[in-house]
Amino acid sequence: MKIAHINTFSNGSTGKIARTLIASSIARGDEGKLFYARGPIVTEIPSVNFSSRADIFLHGLAARLFDCQGLKSKSKTKKLIGLLREYNPDIIHLHNLHGYYLNYPRLFAYLKKSGKQIRWTLHDCWAFTGHCAYFSYVDCENWKMGCGNCPQKEAYPKSVFIDRSRKNFRYKKGCFTALDVDKVLLIAPSEWMAELARQSFLGKYKIIVQKNQIDKSVFYPRDTKKTLEKYELQEKVVILGVASRWDKRKGLQYFVQLDRKIDHKKMKIVVVGVSKKQKRWLLNKTRILPILRTNDQNELAELYSSADVFFNPTMEENYPTVNLEAQACGAKVLSFDTGGCKETDMKTGSFFLTNKEQFITDIYHVTDSI
């Protein structure tokens, strides 16, 4: 059996999930290939980058101006379709279709005509909204009524001027529900996501819950001596945060609040995945140790292993693999009880906080025992 996976990135959380699935299928004796648009070259699995920086930039610019995420990149989507025809998979497994790289009407017209079996992992809510990838943390239920008057017009995928969320909603609904019901299987990484999908126009399809997996040959407790010395963390209680992109939803502001309260002689906050701009700001305004995003999974595992506490202050999340990775490396996990976060509990002493207002007190309770 041949399975083609389509995703925005070759790296990051969704890229790692797609690569893990392909590696598993190859281990079973099947074939798998990743078709992606952004991220580093992948060598450990069969893969092809079918896009370009120029196309992604132009698509992103158009989305900023006209709120048309997923409606540009026609030539690159045509190239992808040609590659899929050449590969001729039995199953086409979709992941994130947003990220300024794909024309979804053109892709879905091909999928309908192809007659292929389709799997689609819903890593976020973008597939059934008129604009955003997440909505619960701003208490928006417009997606149940066709969107319009979007409260998150300036959230990813940001639109500066135009709100075409109602039109986008209708366009997505028309494209995404046009496939034959018996050809489509939707995969939700959490019960939380599955329930949202069942309430959406995607509810016509079969939906199953399949929890994301991590590579435990990479994520396990490591020797931390070199990492602790490198970042001068010896004799410190280390509070770690990791994200592929620290936007508002990921909760970087909670680390800044925490930094103002901790005893810096005993404790140190380390945040991984910041941008260069965020790193400069944190170095100037806080005592947080900011580390740029790393694609080195061994380095990331060493950082997880160096942490006493892994704090994930995300305000809404599907099924965060960072929680799984941190637990596998031996860190205590504190996460807000939002979205599917609580479903990541591996019974290793994790805590899921229901009151965001007292998170500092909760962290102190955990660190006092270390």
Side-chain angles (χ1 to χ4, degrees):
M1 182 178 292
K2 297 170 72 173
I3 306 174
H5 290 256
I6 301 172
N7 189 46
T8 319
F9 289 99
S10 64
N11 60 351
S13 58
T14 58
K16 285 192 289 187
I17 290 164
R19 295 202 317 267
T20 299
L21 289 172
I22 293 169
S24 296
S25 65
I26 292 173
R28 293 194 306 267
D30 295 326
E31 294 184 39
K33 192 170 187 176
L34 175 63
F35 297 82
Y36 69 98
R38 305 170 69 174
I41 296 172
V42 176
T43 58
E44 69 268 26
I45 57 167
S47 64
V48 58
N49 184 323
F50 62 87
S51 191
S52 68
R53 289 185 178 181
D55 183 78
I56 291 166
F57 173 80
L58 291 173
H59 192 153
L61 179 62
R64 287 287 183 101
L65 297 175
F66 305 114
D67 196 13
C68 57
Q69 163 72 270
L71 298 175
K72 299 298 179 181
S73 300
K74 290 183 179 180
S75 65
K76 297 303 179 184
T77 305
K78 182 179 179 180
K79 179 180 178 180
L80 169 63
I81 291 169
L83 291 168
L84 290 171
R85 285 181 173 140
E86 180 182 345
Y87 186 58
N88 193 26
D90 301 290
I91 296 171
I92 298 176
H93 192 140
L94 308 176
H95 294 271
N96 276 351
L97 301 185
H98 55 83
Y100 316 119
Y101 79 105
L102 194 66
N103 184 279
Y104 66 78
R106 180 165 287 194
L107 175 65
F108 272 73
Y110 160 73
L111 295 178
K112 181 174 177 60
K113 188 176 179 180
S114 74
K116 302 286 186 182
Q117 291 291 324
I118 308 300
R119 295 175 184 167
W120 192 357
T121 296
L122 301 175
H123 295 291
D124 55 41
C125 307
W126 181 85
F128 49 88
T129 74
H131 179 84
C132 65
Y134 288 98
F135 43 73
S136 296
Y137 74 102
V138 292
D139 296 320
C140 178
E141 294 194 342
N142 289 357
W143 61 280
K144 294 181 178 180
M145 300 168 284
C147 285
N149 191 26
C150 181
Q152 295 208 97
K153 179 171 70 73
E154 296 190 2
Y156 172 84
K158 184 176 182 178
S159 177
V160 178
F161 301 111
I162 295 175
D163 174 8
R164 53 166 287 160
S165 58
R166 185 175 295 276
K167 185 180 292 186
N168 286 341
F169 183 92
R170 291 198 299 265
Y171 214 19
K172 286 183 183 180
K173 182 178 180 179
C175 289
F176 297 164
T177 61
L179 303 180
D180 294 338
V181 173
D182 61 347
K183 296 289 186 181
V184 179
L185 175 64
L186 299 183
I187 301 168
S190 64
E191 297 287 353
W192 173 79
M193 178 59 70
E195 182 55 33
L196 291 177
R198 291 186 187 108
Q199 295 178 50
S200 77
F201 55 71
L202 294 178
K204 63 176 286 187
Y205 298 120
K206 182 179 180 180
I207 301 169
I208 66 168
V209 176
Q210 185 173 298
K211 302 295 179 70
N212 294 330
Q213 302 297 312
I214 60 171
D215 187 348
K216 291 188 178 180
S217 70
V218 174
F219 296 103
Y220 60 88
R222 303 293 191 96
D223 184 345
T224 61
K225 182 179 180 181
K226 289 183 179 179
T227 301
L228 293 173
E229 290 177 350
K230 177 180 178 180
Y231 295 110
E232 299 180 355
L233 299 172
Q234 305 96 318
E235 308 303 324
K236 298 278 191 179
V237 172
V238 178
I239 302 171
L240 176 69
V242 175
S244 57
R245 186 167 67 115
W246 284 101
D247 56 15
K248 182 179 179 181
R249 178 176 61 85
K250 292 293 187 178
L252 184 60
Q253 64 272 22
Y254 289 103
F255 282 103
V256 175
Q257 292 179 40
L258 181 62
D259 182 66
R260 296 176 183 145
K261 300 291 185 179
I262 64 171
D263 182 348
H264 290 91
K265 292 180 180 179
K266 298 179 180 179
M267 306 169 77
K268 186 69 175 181
I269 298 172
V270 180
V271 177
V272 180
V274 296
S275 66
K276 292 180 180 178
K277 181 178 179 180
Q278 288 171 327
K279 181 176 181 178
R280 288 193 297 269
W281 189 90
L282 290 170
L283 287 173
N284 288 330
K285 302 294 184 178
T286 74
R287 288 196 252 184
I288 294 172
L289 171 61
I291 300 175
L292 297 175
R293 181 176 176 177
T294 176
N295 292 318
D296 185 334
Q297 299 302 288
N298 289 302
E299 179 185 6
L300 187 57
E302 290 170 6
L303 286 164
Y304 281 129
S305 299
S306 301
D308 297 288
V309 174
F310 179 79
F311 179 38
N312 182 6
T314 181
M315 291 182 278
E316 186 172 23
E317 204 72 44
N318 186 353
Y319 186 76
T321 52
V322 289
N323 286 7
L324 304 179
E325 292 167 353
Q327 289 175 87
C329 292
K332 291 181 180 293
V333 170
L334 278 81
S335 180
F336 290 147
D337 183 8
T338 183
C341 287
K342 197 168 186 177
E343 296 177 51
T344 64
D345 188 2
M346 295 168 61
K347 309 301 181 184
T348 58
S350 300
F351 300 85
F352 297 91
L353 315 180
T354 56
N355 187 342
K356 294 182 178 66
E357 302 302 321
Q358 64 176 37
F359 78 97
I360 293 176
T361 301
D362 291 328
I363 288 177
Y364 266 107
H365 284 162
V366 174
T367 56
D368 280 345
S369 63
I370 297 173

PDB file of all heavy atoms in Angstrom, residues 52-65:
ATOM      1  N   SER A  52       7.737  26.980  -3.201  1.00  0.00           N
ATOM      2  CA  SER A  52       8.876  27.900  -3.255  1.00  0.00           C
ATOM      3  C   SER A  52       8.636  29.042  -2.287  1.00  0.00           C
ATOM      4  O   SER A  52       7.492  29.362  -1.941  1.00  0.00           O
ATOM      5  CB  SER A  52       9.061  28.458  -4.667  1.00  0.00           C
ATOM      6  OG  SER A  52       7.976  29.321  -5.009  1.00  0.00           O
ATOM      7  N   ARG A  53       9.707  29.668  -1.864  1.00  0.00           N
ATOM      8  CA  ARG A  53       9.582  30.812  -0.953  1.00  0.00           C
ATOM      9  C   ARG A  53       8.798  31.944  -1.586  1.00  0.00           C
ATOM     10  O   ARG A  53       7.999  32.618  -0.926  1.00  0.00           O
ATOM     11  CB  ARG A  53      10.971  31.296  -0.539  1.00  0.00           C
ATOM     12  CG  ARG A  53      11.706  30.354   0.405  1.00  0.00           C
ATOM     13  CD  ARG A  53      13.016  30.975   0.851  1.00  0.00           C
ATOM     14  NE  ARG A  53      13.722  30.112   1.780  1.00  0.00           N
ATOM     15  CZ  ARG A  53      14.899  30.431   2.335  1.00  0.00           C
ATOM     16  NH1 ARG A  53      15.483  31.583   2.056  1.00  0.00           N
ATOM     17  NH2 ARG A  53      15.467  29.582   3.185  1.00  0.00           N
ATOM     18  N   ALA A  54       9.032  32.169  -2.878  1.00  0.00           N
ATOM     19  CA  ALA A  54       8.354  33.267  -3.566  1.00  0.00           C
ATOM     20  C   ALA A  54       6.842  33.051  -3.581  1.00  0.00           C
ATOM     21  O   ALA A  54       6.060  33.972  -3.310  1.00  0.00           O
ATOM     22  CB  ALA A  54       8.882  33.396  -4.993  1.00  0.00           C
ATOM     23  N   ASP A  55       6.418  31.836  -3.888  1.00  0.00           N
ATOM     24  CA  ASP A  55       4.983  31.550  -3.934  1.00  0.00           C
ATOM     25  C   ASP A  55       4.354  31.694  -2.556  1.00  0.00           C
ATOM     26  O   ASP A  55       3.262  32.258  -2.417  1.00  0.00           O
ATOM     27  CB  ASP A  55       4.751  30.131  -4.462  1.00  0.00           C
ATOM     28  CG  ASP A  55       3.267  29.827  -4.599  1.00  0.00           C
ATOM     29  OD1 ASP A  55       2.660  30.285  -5.578  1.00  0.00           O
ATOM     30  OD2 ASP A  55       2.710  29.153  -3.697  1.00  0.00           O
ATOM     31  N   ILE A  56       5.033  31.197  -1.522  1.00  0.00           N
ATOM     32  CA  ILE A  56       4.515  31.299  -0.162  1.00  0.00           C
ATOM     33  C   ILE A  56       4.409  32.764   0.258  1.00  0.00           C
ATOM     34  O   ILE A  56       3.422  33.180   0.877  1.00  0.00           O
ATOM     35  CB  ILE A  56       5.412  30.506   0.809  1.00  0.00           C
ATOM     36  CG1 ILE A  56       5.263  29.002   0.543  1.00  0.00           C
ATOM     37  CG2 ILE A  56       5.067  30.825   2.263  1.00  0.00           C
ATOM     38  CD1 ILE A  56       6.321  28.156   1.191  1.00  0.00           C
ATOM     39  N   PHE A  57       5.413  33.565  -0.099  1.00  0.00           N
ATOM     40  CA  PHE A  57       5.379  34.997   0.236  1.00  0.00           C
ATOM     41  C   PHE A  57       4.195  35.682  -0.432  1.00  0.00           C
ATOM     42  O   PHE A  57       3.456  36.442   0.217  1.00  0.00           O
ATOM     43  CB  PHE A  57       6.683  35.658  -0.197  1.00  0.00           C
ATOM     44  CG  PHE A  57       6.670  37.157  -0.048  1.00  0.00           C
ATOM     45  CD1 PHE A  57       6.877  37.749   1.192  1.00  0.00           C
ATOM     46  CD2 PHE A  57       6.420  37.972  -1.139  1.00  0.00           C
ATOM     47  CE1 PHE A  57       6.843  39.132   1.342  1.00  0.00           C
ATOM     48  CE2 PHE A  57       6.373  39.356  -1.007  1.00  0.00           C
ATOM     49  CZ  PHE A  57       6.590  39.939   0.236  1.00  0.00           C
ATOM     50  N   LEU A  58       4.000  35.430  -1.719  1.00  0.00           N
ATOM     51  CA  LEU A  58       2.913  36.083  -2.447  1.00  0.00           C
ATOM     52  C   LEU A  58       1.550  35.633  -1.930  1.00  0.00           C
ATOM     53  O   LEU A  58       0.623  36.434  -1.817  1.00  0.00           O
ATOM     54  CB  LEU A  58       3.045  35.788  -3.939  1.00  0.00           C
ATOM     55  CG  LEU A  58       4.252  36.449  -4.631  1.00  0.00           C
ATOM     56  CD1 LEU A  58       4.378  35.953  -6.070  1.00  0.00           C
ATOM     57  CD2 LEU A  58       4.130  37.968  -4.602  1.00  0.00           C
ATOM     58  N   HIS A  59       1.423  34.347  -1.623  1.00  0.00           N
ATOM     59  CA  HIS A  59       0.180  33.832  -1.070  1.00  0.00           C
ATOM     60  C   HIS A  59      -0.095  34.477   0.296  1.00  0.00           C
ATOM     61  O   HIS A  59      -1.222  34.904   0.583  1.00  0.00           O
ATOM     62  CB  HIS A  59       0.280  32.309  -0.942  1.00  0.00           C
ATOM     63  CG  HIS A  59      -1.017  31.630  -0.647  1.00  0.00           C
ATOM     64  ND1 HIS A  59      -1.280  30.324  -1.015  1.00  0.00           N
ATOM     65  CD2 HIS A  59      -2.141  32.041   0.005  1.00  0.00           C
ATOM     66  CE1 HIS A  59      -2.492  29.991  -0.630  1.00  0.00           C
ATOM     67  NE2 HIS A  59      -3.031  31.006   0.012  1.00  0.00           N
ATOM     68  N   GLY A  60       0.949  34.550   1.124  1.00  0.00           N
ATOM     69  CA  GLY A  60       0.795  35.160   2.440  1.00  0.00           C
ATOM     70  C   GLY A  60       0.429  36.633   2.353  1.00  0.00           C
ATOM     71  O   GLY A  60      -0.405  37.126   3.131  1.00  0.00           O
ATOM     72  N   LEU A  61       1.026  37.338   1.406  1.00  0.00           N
ATOM     73  CA  LEU A  61       0.708  38.755   1.215  1.00  0.00           C
ATOM     74  C   LEU A  61      -0.750  38.923   0.799  1.00  0.00           C
ATOM     75  O   LEU A  61      -1.465  39.788   1.327  1.00  0.00           O
ATOM     76  CB  LEU A  61       1.644  39.348   0.161  1.00  0.00           C
ATOM     77  CG  LEU A  61       1.423  40.828  -0.179  1.00  0.00           C
ATOM     78  CD1 LEU A  61       1.651  41.712   1.046  1.00  0.00           C
ATOM     79  CD2 LEU A  61       2.343  41.247  -1.320  1.00  0.00           C
ATOM     80  N   ALA A  62      -1.204  38.103  -0.135  1.00  0.00           N
ATOM     81  CA  ALA A  62      -2.593  38.183  -0.581  1.00  0.00           C
ATOM     82  C   ALA A  62      -3.554  37.884   0.570  1.00  0.00           C
ATOM     83  O   ALA A  62      -4.595  38.536   0.720  1.00  0.00           O
ATOM     84  CB  ALA A  62      -2.820  37.205  -1.736  1.00  0.00           C
ATOM     85  N   ALA A  63      -3.192  36.898   1.407  1.00  0.00           N
ATOM     86  CA  ALA A  63      -4.037  36.565   2.554  1.00  0.00           C
ATOM     87  C   ALA A  63      -4.113  37.725   3.534  1.00  0.00           C
ATOM     88  O   ALA A  63      -5.177  38.000   4.106  1.00  0.00           O
ATOM     89  CB  ALA A  63      -3.515  35.308   3.246  1.00  0.00           C
ATOM     90  N   ARG A  64      -2.987  38.402   3.735  1.00  0.00           N
ATOM     91  CA  ARG A  64      -2.982  39.570   4.633  1.00  0.00           C
ATOM     92  C   ARG A  64      -3.916  40.673   4.113  1.00  0.00           C
ATOM     93  O   ARG A  64      -4.586  41.352   4.883  1.00  0.00           O
ATOM     94  CB  ARG A  64      -1.561  40.133   4.749  1.00  0.00           C
ATOM     95  CG  ARG A  64      -0.595  39.306   5.579  1.00  0.00           C
ATOM     96  CD  ARG A  64      -0.898  39.422   7.066  1.00  0.00           C
ATOM     97  NE  ARG A  64       0.059  38.699   7.873  1.00  0.00           N
ATOM     98  CZ  ARG A  64       1.071  39.285   8.530  1.00  0.00           C
ATOM     99  NH1 ARG A  64       1.265  40.585   8.430  1.00  0.00           N
ATOM    100  NH2 ARG A  64       1.876  38.556   9.278  1.00  0.00           N
ATOM    101  N   LEU A  65      -3.923  40.860   2.810  1.00  0.00           N
ATOM    102  CA  LEU A  65      -4.690  41.954   2.215  1.00  0.00           C
ATOM    103  C   LEU A  65      -6.154  41.599   1.983  1.00  0.00           C
ATOM    104  O   LEU A  65      -7.040  42.441   2.146  1.00  0.00           O
ATOM    105  CB  LEU A  65      -4.052  42.367   0.886  1.00  0.00           C
ATOM    106  CG  LEU A  65      -2.628  42.938   0.972  1.00  0.00           C
ATOM    107  CD1 LEU A  65      -2.085  43.186  -0.423  1.00  0.00           C
ATOM    108  CD2 LEU A  65      -2.608  44.224   1.793  1.00  0.00           C
TER     109      LEU A  65
END
